[in-house]
Amino acid sequence: MTIQTERGTGLVLGAHIDVLSWDAAMARLLGWAHARDSRYVTICNVHVVVSASRDAAYREIINGSDMATPDGAPVAWMLRRQGFANQPRISGPDVMWALSERAAKEDLPIYCYGSTEVTLGLLEVRLRVAFPKLKVTMESPPFRALSAEEDAAAVDRINNSGAGVVFVGLGCPKQERWMAEHRGRVNAVMIGVGAAFDFHAGTVQRAPAWMRDNGLEWLHRLASEPGRLWKRYLVTNTLFILGAARQLLGGK
């Protein structure tokens, strides 16, 4: 069964980002999940759209997704500047938590694929405490390319679990490439949630709501991990500002 829905998008640095409300996003995701439609969803922050603007193959993956949500506040702001006045942020951690809550109520199994065994162990405890009826399976794949046989076995494990939602936490751009490669093979909606596993497991502290709402989540993460993230944010934020200005001023 395939769920057909009308789709509208805006353009952010060459990436087609869905214009939709929180309720519409949840309804579409749950519809796909219950139908066991093989779909993939990209959660698009500044890093994702800048990477897509510089890498044509990655941009095709983003634009080929079944839903691309505006994760970062600057991405949602760019949509609002295009006339979509009420476009909210639809972020990976929030989507994961809300869908887990609904999945527990609706007897919908979920699967978490990615990260480390330690993080997944903490995440599973947190989810089971919050949602005792949730059916959840965890898998930490090797930090290397899988052989064809290993990959096929992973697909079988996911499908045999009965999961309608697969949260993928492999990091950008690996998770988006993995989901695109597995559409049509994994019988569930796959959602690339990035650092959501770490946030919900408590291994990484998430920025306060006021920072997230004002586009300052990057600053919180930079302060938490300056050695790893300073170069990424210096480059990507600068490129986003330049690209956004060029787009809004009518350039290519």
Side-chain angles (χ1 to χ4, degrees), residues 48 52 73 82 85 89 115 144 157 163 166 176 179 207 212 214 216:
V48 169
Q82 293 173 49
R89 286 186 66 203
S115 194
R144 57 169 174 78
R157 286 192 295 273
V166 179
E176 288 78 25
M179 293 188 297
R212 302 197 301 268
N214 288 282
L216 297 174

Side-chain angles (χ1 to χ4, degrees), residues 39-66:
R39 305 274 187 160
Y40 77 89
V41 175
T42 54
I43 309 289
C44 299
N45 58 17
V46 165
H47 185 212
V48 169
V49 297
V50 168
S51 297
S53 74
R54 305 181 74 191
D55 183 333
Y58 185 63
R59 183 166 62 252
E60 287 184 8
I61 290 173
I62 301 302
N63 290 342
S65 64
D66 295 286

Side-chain angles (χ1 to χ4, degrees), residues 9-13 15 17 19 74-85 247-248:
T9 64
L11 196 65
V12 181
L13 276 63
I17 309 298
V19 175
V75 179
W77 178 82
M78 281 290 288
L79 293 178
R80 291 195 290 270
R81 290 287 295 175
Q82 293 173 49
F84 307 109
Q247 178 179 330
L248 294 174

Side-chain angles (χ1 to χ4, degrees), residues 4-242:
Q4 298 290 346
T5 55
E6 186 175 341
R7 186 178 182 186
T9 64
L11 196 65
V12 181
L13 276 63
H16 295 280
I17 309 298
D18 282 78
V19 175
L20 74 176
S21 68
W22 177 263
D23 288 344
M26 292 297 294
R28 194 177 303 175
L29 293 171
L30 285 164
W32 290 338
H34 281 292
R36 300 304 192 272
D37 267 1
S38 187
R39 305 274 187 160
Y40 77 89
V41 175
T42 54
I43 309 289
C44 299
N45 58 17
V46 165
H47 185 212
V48 169
V49 297
V50 168
S51 297
S53 74
R54 305 181 74 191
D55 183 333
Y58 185 63
R59 183 166 62 252
E60 287 184 8
I61 290 173
I62 301 302
N63 290 342
S65 64
D66 295 286
M67 181 189 294
T69 74
D71 181 352
V75 179
W77 178 82
M78 281 290 288
L79 293 178
R80 291 195 290 270
R81 290 287 295 175
Q82 293 173 49
F84 307 109
N86 298 315
Q87 179 58 52
R89 286 186 66 203
I90 301 177
S91 73
D94 294 337
V95 167
M96 181 177 176
W97 198 255
L99 275 180
S100 295
E101 182 178 18
R102 290 289 297 272
K105 293 177 180 178
E106 298 176 20
D107 195 31
L108 179 69
I110 70 170
Y111 204 101
C112 295
Y113 185 85
S115 194
T116 66
E117 291 185 3
V118 171
T119 296
L120 290 183
L122 294 169
L123 175 61
E124 183 172 5
V125 169
R126 177 94 192 281
L127 287 173
R128 292 193 185 281
V129 169
F131 314 117
K133 294 184 179 180
L134 181 65
K135 297 177 180 177
V136 57
T137 304
M138 303 283 177
E139 180 171 348
S140 174
F143 284 84
R144 57 169 174 78
L146 301 185
S147 68
E149 293 77 11
E150 289 173 324
D151 185 65
V155 170
D156 285 344
R157 286 192 295 273
I158 293 170
N159 289 337
N160 291 338
S161 76
V165 177
V166 179
F167 295 115
V168 184
L170 298 174
C172 166
K174 185 177 179 181
Q175 65 192 17
E176 288 78 25
R177 290 172 178 154
W178 186 91
M179 293 188 297
E181 290 168 0
H182 289 80
R183 182 167 58 184
R185 297 177 61 202
V186 169
N187 302 325
V189 55
M190 298 167 280
I191 307 174
V193 294
F197 289 2
D198 289 308
F199 291 150
H200 293 316
T203 55
V204 174
Q205 185 181 20
R206 194 179 182 194
W210 71 267
M211 295 188 78
R212 302 197 301 268
D213 293 342
N214 288 282
L216 297 174
E217 189 164 13
W218 67 271
L219 183 60
H220 181 272
R221 293 200 66 193
L222 177 60
S224 301
E225 302 179 81
R228 186 174 74 86
L229 295 176
W230 74 268
K231 187 175 182 179
R232 165 178 155 179
Y233 284 128
L234 175 65
V235 172
T236 57
N237 286 7
T238 301
L239 290 174
F240 181 84
I241 291 168
L242 293 174

